[in-house]
Amino acid sequence: MKSPDLYLLLTMLLACCVAIAMFVQPQQANAVFTPSQSQNQSNVDQQRQDTEKQTRPEIEKQRQQIEQQGQKNLDQEAIAALQETQNAIKAISASKTSEAMAAIERASGKLNVLLARHPEKGLIPVSQEVIVIDNAPRDSKQILELSYNAAKAFDDSNFPAARVLLDALRSEIRDRTYNLPLATYPDALKNAARLLDQKKQDDAKAVLLDAVDTLVAVDQVTPIPLLLARATVNGAQVTAQKDKDTAQKMLEAARVELLRAKLLGYAGKDPEYNALNNDISNLEKQIKGRGEVASLFTGLKDKLASFIKRHADKKQTGQAQGGQQQAQR
């Protein structure tokens, strides 16, 4: 048995190695990092790598589509209210109390419009960022090892190491939206105005700073392995009529990507993974036996599209520190 101290040391060493690997890889927001190919890769791995190269433009296209849709959902009244809040902070810093009060009043007016227009909504989007994060290993054994070490680090309350290890298990397009909370933001403005009226400028400024620095972040992710699986299935359908062996290899590559998505924790316990694997197996049998495959391909593609959409529609909410800087992007 390894002593707890030795196990903790090994975990920290692994975390440092992962951190170094993440640091030296390309850091462009829209880049997809792909490790170099081994000379001894299997046909399935080679097929997957070739497919990934071909689908990089598709991944970027998907990212752009998500970004464009998100930009349409940003609320200009909420953005204006946030800007007026920032104007009030600047005015207080310059000892221009009357200008600060006027900015707060304008921001409050914008929020009154929002409350009247969206009485049922608690969060109003004011900023968005969409990036591709692809740090996860391609090998399933490496994914399992990282998962185990991340869980162990978390159980040991070694959260810095756990965060590094969890970041190495990401392969996704992340859509993060920063939202103005209607439940608390108007009250913050009222409180700041009251403090200004009482000549408590520093307190009023602190209230406003807290308001703009605690926007609510909502994340939605689209797993890259599922996108690669869908693209590979599309390619297999085109290839099946002229090269059955290649089509079967492509379907096997799609199965590998489904396994990666599952092991990386993208709804890993969802029974849809088994259903998709069964559909792929059925397709392989039909291709080998020269059976009718058009309807099977259509059904598999529809299931994948629905599965990807279900993932992308899930929302994860948390408080966004540094909201002022994020909203200015």
Side-chain angles (χ1 to χ4, degrees):
M1 291 289 291
K2 296 179 180 177
S3 68
D5 290 340
L6 179 57
Y7 189 92
L8 180 60
L9 177 59
L10 291 173
T11 301
M12 290 299 296
L13 287 173
L14 177 60
C16 291
C17 292
V18 173
I20 293 171
M22 293 171 64
F23 178 78
V24 300
Q25 74 179 35
Q27 295 297 312
Q28 291 87 347
N30 300 335
V32 179
F33 174 71
T34 305
S36 60
Q37 298 180 1
S38 169
Q39 292 181 348
N40 298 322
Q41 283 178 314
S42 68
N43 289 334
V44 171
D45 286 339
Q46 184 66 54
Q47 187 67 56
R48 179 192 51 73
Q49 290 286 352
D50 292 341
T51 301
E52 184 173 355
K53 288 180 180 179
Q54 294 169 9
T55 56
R56 279 186 179 183
E58 180 62 27
I59 292 173
E60 173 58 16
K61 180 181 178 181
Q62 183 84 10
R63 188 200 67 81
Q64 290 178 2
Q65 289 175 349
I66 294 171
E67 185 175 62
Q68 290 169 4
Q69 183 59 46
Q71 289 295 315
K72 293 178 182 178
N73 294 331
L74 299 184
D75 192 290
Q76 297 305 313
E77 293 287 345
I79 293 172
L82 186 61
Q83 183 59 57
E84 291 293 359
T85 306
Q86 294 164 349
N87 291 339
I89 293 171
K90 293 177 183 178
I92 294 174
S93 298
S95 300
K96 298 178 180 179
T97 303
S98 60
E99 290 186 15
M101 188 67 78
I104 291 175
E105 290 174 355
R106 290 192 297 270
S108 297
K110 300 290 185 183
L111 291 177
N112 288 335
V113 172
L114 289 172
L115 287 167
R117 185 184 299 164
H118 307 291
E120 77 290 349
K121 291 184 66 174
L123 301 176
I124 305 296
V126 294
S127 181
Q128 180 208 34
E129 62 179 8
V130 183
I131 61 174
V132 173
I133 307 172
D134 195 9
N135 302 325
R138 269 53 187 172
D139 182 73
S140 60
K141 291 182 180 179
Q142 294 179 20
I143 293 174
L144 289 171
E145 183 178 0
L146 284 170
S147 300
Y148 174 80
N149 287 320
K152 185 64 172 63
F154 187 86
D155 289 341
D156 292 340
S157 296
N158 187 357
F159 300 136
R163 280 190 288 269
V164 172
L165 292 166
L166 288 173
D167 277 339
L169 293 172
R170 291 191 183 196
S171 182
E172 64 195 40
I173 301 175
R174 188 187 71 189
D175 176 13
R176 173 167 291 178
T177 304
Y178 296 91
N179 298 266
L180 187 151
L182 283 181
T184 58
Y185 205 89
D187 289 339
L189 293 182
K190 292 177 182 178
N191 191 24
R194 177 180 58 80
L195 291 169
L196 273 181
D197 198 45
Q198 296 173 358
K199 311 300 182 185
K200 297 179 179 179
Q201 287 86 353
D202 289 342
D203 291 341
K205 181 179 177 180
V207 168
L208 295 177
L209 284 171
D210 284 344
V212 298
D213 281 342
T214 53
L215 300 179
V216 178
V218 177
D219 281 2
Q220 295 176 267
V221 300
T222 302
I224 289 176
L226 293 185
L227 295 177
L228 294 175
R230 181 176 64 181
T232 308
V233 169
N234 290 338
Q237 183 176 21
V238 174
T239 307
Q241 297 300 322
K242 53 186 178 182
D243 190 341
K244 296 183 182 299
D245 289 341
T246 298
Q248 288 189 319
K249 290 176 182 177
M250 295 179 78
L251 288 173
E252 180 60 25
R255 180 184 281 111
V256 170
E257 292 301 336
L258 287 175
L259 176 61
R260 288 187 69 239
K262 182 176 182 178
L263 294 179
L264 290 172
Y266 295 109
K269 295 184 178 181
D270 196 311
E272 189 67 15
Y273 282 110
N274 289 333
L276 289 168
N277 272 313
N278 290 336
D279 286 353
I280 289 176
S281 296
N282 191 22
L283 253 175
E284 289 172 330
K285 291 178 182 178
Q286 293 299 319
I287 290 175
K288 186 176 182 180
R290 300 181 181 277
E292 194 278 327
V293 296
S295 61
L296 296 178
F297 269 113
T298 299
L300 176 58
K301 291 194 298 182
D302 288 345
K303 284 185 179 180
L304 271 171
S306 177
F307 196 34
I308 291 170
K309 187 177 185 304
R310 275 203 285 130
H311 275 282
D313 287 345
K314 290 181 180 178
K315 296 182 179 182
Q316 298 175 341
T317 303
Q319 184 170 303
Q321 296 294 334
Q324 182 174 359
Q325 288 75 21
Q326 297 292 351
Q328 290 175 337
R329 291 184 178 181

